[in-house]
Amino acid sequence: MDMQGRWEDIDHLLLRQGTLVGPEFEPCAELRESLHNDLRVLVIGAGGLGCELLKDLALSGFGNIDVIDMDTIDVSNLNRQFLFRMHDVGKPKAVVAAEKVMQRVKGVKVVPHYGRIEEKDDEFYRQFQIIALGLDSLEARSYINSVVCSFLEYEADGSPALPTIIPMVDGGTEGFKGHARVIIPGVTPCFYCTLGLFPPQVTYPLCTLAETPRSPAHCIEYVHLIQWGQERPGDSFDADNPEHMKWIFDKAFKRAEQFKIAGVTYSLTQGVVKNIIPAIASTNAIISAACALETLKIATMCCRSMDNYMMYMGTQGVYTHTLSHEKDPNCLVCSPGVPFEVDSSISLQKFIELLLEDPQFKDKLSKPSISYQKRNLYMQAPPVLEEMTRPHLNSPLFELMEKAGGTLNVNDKKLTGILRVNVSFRGHNDTVMDMDTAGGG
Ligand SMILES: [Zn+2]
């Protein structure tokens, strides 16, 4: 039985018209039904943010939630990952989180997946209408972003094909700071478009560490980066080895004494060396609430989505600001195609060589396979396909692309998704440009 009044607030959003509603919003009771019965949302991560997200989504009326996480519960999680108890320590987070949410919110189905996100195939991710990310690593975000953006197809007019879009809502927290953002592949900037926004990890100038340490962290980093190599040459440092960590702590403590700096503790040493930023439960709750609300907006259109990046700072008071980041029109991951101009005489073989030499692509490709409008031009594997497509290598690319420029799909073992390359041929596709130049002077 549902608790009385449990859905009252959701009904206020779904059963009433308003001035902020999204395009084509029709208030009706069926919206709540379809949110509960039809829509499927995936939550990635069942840690600090993930626990909050699962609870928030279940209480917002989402009835079919899947959750994936590769971790097991550690005793240090219990202060904020509130779905877990002492007797759950050692069990998979996804499994326990799913059970607890289903116990507390009757009628909601949460399917756990205990494992790495890389282990799931494309078909797994394609099942979901929305993906909510509660992750703590850039690598995992990049990975899922590439997967979801590779589903994206573009119409002939360059607009993204709606059925191929899976929106993502991404939350992130770091101590008292956090962000929530909405990524609609092909429409708003993807994670890769704005990769430059994430600051590099904090590092200290070596001269400060060596000459003028001013904080406990400076003393710890000095021992970690310099003294270890001097005093234990050939012994590679392992942050998970307690003896190594104790050694760093003891030396750093002595160094801090010399410089009359207080505050070097064993746990701070671990934090600095492993680059751990303390997780704050309230930050997770705030960011997750923003993410769950955005997920609800996308699912029901009860309000227009945030445009498109909200940052939150709780260090001194509470401050938030929402800003609109711009898409990179030539993004390697989400754009309709990275422009690439070639001579109309080149062979497919030469084209592949040019790709491998190009500074934009060379780190990302090793043995690219090329297709054009679902036709395989050259496949590196399996051997049967390689043999079948090998004769194309000597054909002019211009002929293979039916004497027109267009988008080639490039696949490579090194890529998570696909790379779209928008090929134009010198002297063939620039009639419009020529006219412009002639007319404009
Ligand atoms: Zn992008």
Side-chain angles (χ1 to χ4, degrees):
M1 270 298 283
D2 268 350
M3 270 165 59
Q4 186 157 19
R6 172 158 265 181
W7 307 113
E8 203 176 314
D9 298 315
I10 299 298
D11 284 347
H12 283 318
L13 291 172
L14 302 185
L15 303 184
R16 299 190 302 190
Q17 208 31 286
T19 50
L20 297 173
V21 298
E24 295 168 43
F25 174 74
E26 288 290 338
C28 59
E30 287 78 37
L31 262 179
R32 204 182 80 196
E33 299 304 312
S34 90
L35 195 63
H36 193 266
N37 300 327
D38 308 327
L39 196 108
R40 292 191 60 196
V41 50
L42 173 68
V43 173
I44 302 189
L49 263 178
C51 281
E52 293 279 351
L53 270 172
L54 287 167
K55 172 260 292 173
D56 288 347
L57 290 171
L59 290 174
S60 302
F62 288 86
N64 293 288
I65 306 171
D66 284 49
V67 57
I68 179 165
D69 194 298
M70 59 183 270
D71 283 340
T72 52
I73 298 162
D74 185 82
V75 73
S76 66
N77 303 144
L78 300 180
N79 72 331
R80 62 192 184 284
Q81 300 178 18
F82 59 88
L83 297 172
F84 311 140
R85 295 291 174 270
M86 191 55 102
H87 60 257
D88 297 321
V89 168
K91 295 180 192 165
K93 288 185 178 181
V95 173
V96 177
E99 274 168 19
K100 294 284 165 66
V101 170
M102 287 193 284
Q103 277 165 20
R104 294 291 290 269
V105 189
K106 293 287 176 239
V108 63
K109 191 170 137 222
V110 186
V111 180
H113 305 269
Y114 171 43
R116 301 176 63 83
I117 54 175
E118 295 87 352
E119 286 164 8
K120 296 286 182 186
D121 59 9
D122 286 359
E123 290 319 303
F124 173 77
Y125 292 108
R126 277 186 211 268
Q127 307 172 74
F128 302 100
Q129 280 80 49
I130 308 173
I131 299 180
L133 313 182
L135 289 164
D136 60 1
S137 92
L138 298 188
E139 291 75 25
R141 282 195 184 88
S142 280
Y143 179 84
I144 196 70
N145 182 67
S146 300
V147 170
V148 172
C149 288
S150 74
F151 300 158
L152 188 62
E153 288 173 23
Y154 280 89
E155 309 280 11
D157 67 357
S159 61
L162 290 180
T164 66
I165 298 176
I166 300 179
M168 287 179 283
V169 179
D170 172 46
T173 69
E174 208 177 68
F176 287 102
K177 290 184 283 189
H179 79 262
R181 66 187 295 185
V182 174
I183 298 176
I184 317 267
V187 181
T188 70
C190 80
F191 183 69
Y192 197 82
C193 288
T194 58
L195 204 55
L197 289 177
F198 291 88
Q201 290 189 329
V202 181
T203 52
Y204 304 106
L206 280 180
C207 56
T208 302
L209 297 182
E211 313 290 338
T212 52
R214 292 182 305 277
S215 71
H218 288 161
C219 300
I220 296 165
E221 278 295 65
Y222 178 80
V223 178
H224 172 216
L225 298 175
I226 298 166
Q227 216 168 333
W228 178 276
Q230 286 170 348
E231 297 186 21
R232 299 179 68 160
D235 197 358
S236 71
F237 176 73
D238 174 9
D240 292 321
N241 182 328
E243 189 272 318
H244 290 190
M245 195 61 84
K246 176 81 168 43
W247 191 90
I248 302 273
F249 165 63
D250 289 340
K251 297 278 178 179
F253 191 83
K254 282 207 188 90
R255 185 171 170 80
E257 269 183 334
Q258 272 172 25
F259 287 93
K260 300 191 167 44
I261 295 167
V264 173
T265 62
Y266 186 75
S267 68
L268 182 73
T269 307
Q270 282 181 307
V272 170
V273 170
K274 292 184 162 185
N275 220 328
I276 298 170
I277 292 152
I280 307 291
S282 58
T283 313
N284 284 339
I286 290 165
I287 294 301
S288 162
C291 290
L293 187 59
E294 290 307 317
T295 311
L296 182 70
K297 289 180 189 177
I298 294 170
T300 63
M301 286 290 165
C302 68
C303 182
R304 285 187 289 271
S305 288
M306 153 204 308
D307 180 25
N308 46 43
Y309 187 102
M310 187 273 277
M311 57 178 185
Y312 163 78
M313 271 168 275
T315 323
Q316 291 164 326
V318 171
Y319 174 76
T320 80
H321 182 60
T322 302
L323 55 155
S324 174
H325 285 307
E326 282 182 22
K327 230 171 35 149
D328 173 358
N330 298 331
C331 175
L332 295 182
V333 176
C334 73
S335 77
V338 185
F340 200 66
E341 198 189 39
V342 293
D343 220 84
S344 55
S345 62
I346 64 162
S347 63
L348 180 58
Q349 172 85 55
K350 180 71 188 162
F351 173 76
I352 292 174
E353 286 165 24
L354 288 174
L355 275 185
L356 289 169
E357 284 164 16
D358 192 278
Q360 296 183 86
F361 312 128
K362 69 176 180 195
D363 306 339
K364 301 189 169 59
L365 303 174
S366 59
K367 292 172 93 184
S369 294
I370 315 281
S371 60
Y372 175 62
Q373 295 179 346
K374 303 201 187 315
R375 200 159 65 89
N376 295 330
L377 298 189
Y378 181 64
M379 295 287 114
Q380 304 268 3
V384 193
L385 265 181
E386 196 281 331
E387 209 183 313
M388 265 173 64
T389 53
R390 200 184 306 152
H392 287 155
L393 286 175
N394 294 320
S395 308
L397 182 65
F398 189 57
E399 304 287 328
L400 292 169
M401 293 182 74
E402 292 145 11
K403 305 194 178 182
T407 307
L408 291 179
N409 286 339
V410 179
N411 270 291
D412 196 290
K413 274 193 309 223
K414 274 177 117 176
L415 292 168
T416 308
I418 54 160
L419 172 68
R420 301 178 197 89
V421 178
N422 198 352
V423 176
S424 60
F425 294 99
R426 270 183 210 107
H428 282 277
N429 281 327
D430 48 3
T431 16
V432 181
M433 247 163 59
D434 281 351
M435 282 166 65
D436 277 349
T437 328

